[in-house]
mmCIF file of all heavy atoms in Angstrom:
data_model
loop_
_atom_site.group_PDB
_atom_site.id
_atom_site.type_symbol
_atom_site.label_atom_id
_atom_site.label_comp_id
_atom_site.label_asym_id
_atom_site.label_seq_id
_atom_site.Cartn_x
_atom_site.Cartn_y
_atom_site.Cartn_z
ATOM 1 N N GLN A 180 11.130 -22.415 -11.866
ATOM 2 C CA GLN A 180 11.858 -23.625 -11.510
ATOM 3 C C GLN A 180 13.031 -23.807 -12.478
ATOM 4 O O GLN A 180 12.859 -23.776 -13.727
ATOM 5 C CB GLN A 180 10.898 -24.823 -11.583
ATOM 6 C CG GLN A 180 11.516 -26.093 -10.951
ATOM 7 C CD GLN A 180 10.443 -27.082 -10.538
ATOM 8 O OE1 GLN A 180 9.260 -26.741 -10.514
ATOM 9 N NE2 GLN A 180 10.807 -28.297 -10.315
ATOM 10 N N ILE A 181 14.229 -24.048 -11.908
ATOM 11 C CA ILE A 181 15.423 -24.176 -12.682
ATOM 12 C C ILE A 181 16.169 -25.441 -12.329
ATOM 13 O O ILE A 181 15.955 -26.041 -11.237
ATOM 14 C CB ILE A 181 16.361 -22.973 -12.461
ATOM 15 C CG1 ILE A 181 16.672 -22.799 -10.968
ATOM 16 C CG2 ILE A 181 15.743 -21.672 -12.983
ATOM 17 C CD1 ILE A 181 17.678 -21.708 -10.640
ATOM 18 N N MET A 182 17.028 -25.910 -13.210
ATOM 19 C CA MET A 182 17.860 -27.049 -12.945
ATOM 20 C C MET A 182 19.139 -26.600 -12.231
ATOM 21 O O MET A 182 19.747 -25.623 -12.631
ATOM 22 C CB MET A 182 18.293 -27.793 -14.209
ATOM 23 C CG MET A 182 19.088 -29.056 -13.987
ATOM 24 S SD MET A 182 18.201 -30.322 -13.048
ATOM 25 C CE MET A 182 17.000 -30.826 -14.288
ATOM 26 N N MET A 183 19.477 -27.251 -11.105
ATOM 27 C CA MET A 183 20.648 -26.934 -10.323
ATOM 28 C C MET A 183 21.617 -28.077 -10.434
ATOM 29 O O MET A 183 21.268 -29.257 -10.197
ATOM 30 C CB MET A 183 20.294 -26.633 -8.874
ATOM 31 C CG MET A 183 21.381 -26.082 -8.072
ATOM 32 S SD MET A 183 20.755 -25.035 -6.641
ATOM 33 C CE MET A 183 19.804 -26.258 -5.749
ATOM 34 N N ASP A 184 22.871 -27.789 -10.866
ATOM 35 C CA ASP A 184 23.849 -28.875 -11.027
ATOM 36 C C ASP A 184 24.173 -29.565 -9.698
ATOM 37 O O ASP A 184 24.232 -30.779 -9.650
ATOM 38 C CB ASP A 184 25.126 -28.306 -11.654
ATOM 39 C CG ASP A 184 24.894 -27.606 -12.919
ATOM 40 O OD1 ASP A 184 23.952 -27.932 -13.656
ATOM 41 O OD2 ASP A 184 25.614 -26.618 -13.241
ATOM 42 N N ARG A 185 24.423 -28.786 -8.684
ATOM 43 C CA ARG A 185 24.787 -29.378 -7.408
ATOM 44 C C ARG A 185 24.776 -28.303 -6.298
ATOM 45 O O ARG A 185 24.786 -27.092 -6.605
ATOM 46 C CB ARG A 185 26.166 -30.042 -7.419
ATOM 47 C CG ARG A 185 27.297 -29.080 -7.777
ATOM 48 C CD ARG A 185 28.606 -29.873 -7.938
ATOM 49 N NE ARG A 185 29.675 -28.948 -8.326
ATOM 50 C CZ ARG A 185 29.902 -28.654 -9.592
ATOM 51 N NH1 ARG A 185 29.185 -29.171 -10.567
ATOM 52 N NH2 ARG A 185 30.905 -27.818 -9.941
ATOM 53 N N VAL A 186 24.719 -28.802 -5.080
ATOM 54 C CA VAL A 186 24.874 -27.947 -3.884
ATOM 55 C C VAL A 186 26.068 -28.503 -3.145
ATOM 56 O O VAL A 186 26.196 -29.743 -2.911
ATOM 57 C CB VAL A 186 23.663 -28.017 -2.937
ATOM 58 C CG1 VAL A 186 23.856 -27.121 -1.766
ATOM 59 C CG2 VAL A 186 22.387 -27.662 -3.695
ATOM 60 N N SER A 187 27.046 -27.679 -2.829
ATOM 61 C CA SER A 187 28.291 -28.209 -2.197
ATOM 62 C C SER A 187 28.753 -27.308 -1.091
ATOM 63 O O SER A 187 28.586 -26.091 -1.065
ATOM 64 C CB SER A 187 29.437 -28.378 -3.276
ATOM 65 O OG SER A 187 29.645 -27.159 -3.914
ATOM 66 N N MET A 188 29.330 -27.955 -0.074
ATOM 67 C CA MET A 188 30.025 -27.268 0.993
ATOM 68 C C MET A 188 31.258 -28.108 1.313
ATOM 69 O O MET A 188 31.106 -29.209 1.867
ATOM 70 C CB MET A 188 29.080 -27.180 2.215
ATOM 71 C CG MET A 188 29.826 -26.628 3.459
ATOM 72 S SD MET A 188 28.769 -26.551 4.933
ATOM 73 C CE MET A 188 27.820 -25.057 4.518
ATOM 74 N N ASN A 189 32.427 -27.646 0.893
ATOM 75 C CA ASN A 189 33.653 -28.402 1.052
ATOM 76 C C ASN A 189 33.548 -29.789 0.325
ATOM 77 O O ASN A 189 33.980 -30.774 0.776
ATOM 78 C CB ASN A 189 34.036 -28.669 2.541
ATOM 79 C CG ASN A 189 34.319 -27.369 3.229
ATOM 80 O OD1 ASN A 189 34.755 -26.394 2.599
ATOM 81 N ND2 ASN A 189 34.153 -27.296 4.562
ATOM 82 N N GLY A 190 32.812 -29.789 -0.797
ATOM 83 C CA GLY A 190 32.650 -31.030 -1.534
ATOM 84 C C GLY A 190 31.235 -31.148 -2.045
ATOM 85 O O GLY A 190 30.350 -30.457 -1.607
ATOM 86 N N LYS A 191 31.025 -32.054 -2.978
ATOM 87 C CA LYS A 191 29.710 -32.278 -3.603
ATOM 88 C C LYS A 191 28.680 -32.818 -2.617
ATOM 89 O O LYS A 191 28.949 -33.685 -1.834
ATOM 90 C CB LYS A 191 29.887 -33.238 -4.822
ATOM 91 C CG LYS A 191 28.618 -33.468 -5.580
ATOM 92 C CD LYS A 191 28.863 -34.371 -6.766
ATOM 93 C CE LYS A 191 27.574 -34.619 -7.517
ATOM 94 N NZ LYS A 191 27.745 -35.548 -8.651
ATOM 95 N N VAL A 192 27.471 -32.277 -2.724
ATOM 96 C CA VAL A 192 26.380 -32.781 -1.921
ATOM 97 C C VAL A 192 25.448 -33.579 -2.820
ATOM 98 O O VAL A 192 25.214 -34.769 -2.689
ATOM 99 C CB VAL A 192 25.659 -31.645 -1.157
ATOM 100 C CG1 VAL A 192 24.472 -32.193 -0.389
ATOM 101 C CG2 VAL A 192 26.617 -30.960 -0.194
ATOM 102 N N ILE A 193 24.789 -32.881 -3.767
ATOM 103 C CA ILE A 193 23.748 -33.513 -4.561
ATOM 104 C C ILE A 193 23.348 -32.707 -5.744
ATOM 105 O O ILE A 193 23.501 -31.533 -5.711
ATOM 106 C CB ILE A 193 22.527 -33.873 -3.661
ATOM 107 C CG1 ILE A 193 21.624 -34.947 -4.298
ATOM 108 C CG2 ILE A 193 21.690 -32.643 -3.404
ATOM 109 C CD1 ILE A 193 20.663 -35.609 -3.367
ATOM 110 N N ALA A 194 22.893 -33.345 -6.814
ATOM 111 C CA ALA A 194 22.300 -32.630 -7.971
ATOM 112 C C ALA A 194 20.790 -32.564 -7.774
ATOM 113 O O ALA A 194 20.196 -33.489 -7.221
ATOM 114 C CB ALA A 194 22.627 -33.393 -9.254
ATOM 115 N N CYS A 195 20.143 -31.506 -8.273
ATOM 116 C CA CYS A 195 18.748 -31.328 -8.009
ATOM 117 C C CYS A 195 18.141 -30.230 -8.847
ATOM 118 O O CYS A 195 18.825 -29.671 -9.676
ATOM 119 C CB CYS A 195 18.579 -30.960 -6.472
ATOM 120 S SG CYS A 195 19.658 -29.676 -5.935
ATOM 121 N N GLN A 196 16.895 -29.851 -8.552
ATOM 122 C CA GLN A 196 16.219 -28.727 -9.174
ATOM 123 C C GLN A 196 15.939 -27.723 -8.063
ATOM 124 O O GLN A 196 16.081 -27.999 -6.891
ATOM 125 C CB GLN A 196 14.926 -29.147 -9.813
ATOM 126 C CG GLN A 196 15.142 -30.062 -11.042
ATOM 127 C CD GLN A 196 13.858 -30.317 -11.725
ATOM 128 O OE1 GLN A 196 12.842 -29.651 -11.584
ATOM 129 N NE2 GLN A 196 13.845 -31.422 -12.558
ATOM 130 N N ALA A 197 15.561 -26.528 -8.506
ATOM 131 C CA ALA A 197 15.323 -25.378 -7.551
ATOM 132 C C ALA A 197 14.256 -24.527 -7.949
ATOM 133 O O ALA A 197 14.037 -24.338 -9.188
ATOM 134 C CB ALA A 197 16.615 -24.615 -7.299
ATOM 135 N N ILE A 198 13.451 -23.993 -7.003
ATOM 136 C CA ILE A 198 12.465 -22.980 -7.291
ATOM 137 C C ILE A 198 12.936 -21.678 -6.617
ATOM 138 O O ILE A 198 13.318 -21.691 -5.454
ATOM 139 C CB ILE A 198 11.109 -23.424 -6.676
ATOM 140 C CG1 ILE A 198 10.559 -24.632 -7.411
ATOM 141 C CG2 ILE A 198 10.087 -22.257 -6.738
ATOM 142 C CD1 ILE A 198 9.380 -25.281 -6.756
ATOM 143 N N VAL A 199 13.014 -20.658 -7.442
ATOM 144 C CA VAL A 199 13.494 -19.342 -6.924
ATOM 145 C C VAL A 199 12.225 -18.587 -6.421
ATOM 146 O O VAL A 199 11.343 -18.262 -7.186
ATOM 147 C CB VAL A 199 14.169 -18.517 -8.049
ATOM 148 C CG1 VAL A 199 14.698 -17.213 -7.470
ATOM 149 C CG2 VAL A 199 15.301 -19.315 -8.668
ATOM 150 N N ASP A 200 12.175 -18.360 -5.118
ATOM 151 C CA ASP A 200 10.934 -17.965 -4.462
ATOM 152 C C ASP A 200 11.195 -16.732 -3.555
ATOM 153 O O ASP A 200 11.687 -16.938 -2.421
ATOM 154 C CB ASP A 200 10.389 -19.189 -3.620
ATOM 155 C CG ASP A 200 9.040 -18.878 -3.011
ATOM 156 O OD1 ASP A 200 8.462 -17.823 -3.276
ATOM 157 O OD2 ASP A 200 8.550 -19.751 -2.293
ATOM 158 N N THR A 201 10.685 -15.595 -3.976
ATOM 159 C CA THR A 201 10.811 -14.379 -3.197
ATOM 160 C C THR A 201 9.890 -14.415 -1.949
ATOM 161 O O THR A 201 10.016 -13.612 -1.018
ATOM 162 C CB THR A 201 10.482 -13.127 -4.015
ATOM 163 O OG1 THR A 201 9.176 -13.216 -4.529
ATOM 164 C CG2 THR A 201 11.498 -13.007 -5.126
ATOM 165 N N GLY A 202 8.880 -15.304 -1.958
ATOM 166 C CA GLY A 202 7.933 -15.392 -0.857
ATOM 167 C C GLY A 202 8.458 -16.239 0.261
ATOM 168 O O GLY A 202 7.753 -16.383 1.318
ATOM 169 N N SER A 203 9.566 -16.875 0.109
ATOM 170 C CA SER A 203 10.141 -17.756 1.127
ATOM 171 C C SER A 203 11.378 -17.015 1.755
ATOM 172 O O SER A 203 12.101 -16.373 1.014
ATOM 173 C CB SER A 203 10.570 -19.111 0.567
ATOM 174 O OG SER A 203 11.241 -19.896 1.496
ATOM 175 N N SER A 204 11.598 -17.196 3.037
ATOM 176 C CA SER A 204 12.672 -16.512 3.655
ATOM 177 C C SER A 204 13.965 -17.317 3.793
ATOM 178 O O SER A 204 15.007 -16.785 4.034
ATOM 179 C CB SER A 204 12.235 -15.979 5.076
ATOM 180 O OG SER A 204 11.841 -17.104 5.870
ATOM 181 N N LEU A 205 13.858 -18.625 3.679
ATOM 182 C CA LEU A 205 14.983 -19.578 3.982
ATOM 183 C C LEU A 205 15.531 -20.248 2.789
ATOM 184 O O LEU A 205 15.024 -20.057 1.609
ATOM 185 C CB LEU A 205 14.504 -20.617 5.012
ATOM 186 C CG LEU A 205 13.900 -20.046 6.311
ATOM 187 C CD1 LEU A 205 13.406 -21.168 7.202
ATOM 188 C CD2 LEU A 205 14.900 -19.220 7.095
ATOM 189 N N LEU A 206 16.526 -21.095 3.001
ATOM 190 C CA LEU A 206 17.016 -22.041 1.985
ATOM 191 C C LEU A 206 16.490 -23.384 2.377
ATOM 192 O O LEU A 206 16.859 -23.974 3.427
ATOM 193 C CB LEU A 206 18.566 -22.096 2.022
ATOM 194 C CG LEU A 206 19.226 -20.846 1.473
ATOM 195 C CD1 LEU A 206 20.749 -20.866 1.838
ATOM 196 C CD2 LEU A 206 19.115 -20.712 -0.022
#
Side-chain angles (χ1 to χ4, degrees):
Q180 192 159 344
I181 57 177
M182 184 62 71
M183 189 154 60
D184 304 330
R185 61 186 175 272
V186 182
S187 56
M188 174 182 280
N189 295 334
K191 182 178 178 181
V192 176
I193 199 162
C195 48
Q196 295 185 17
I198 294 169
V199 183
D200 185 4
T201 59
S203 174
S204 58
L205 304 176
L206 290 165

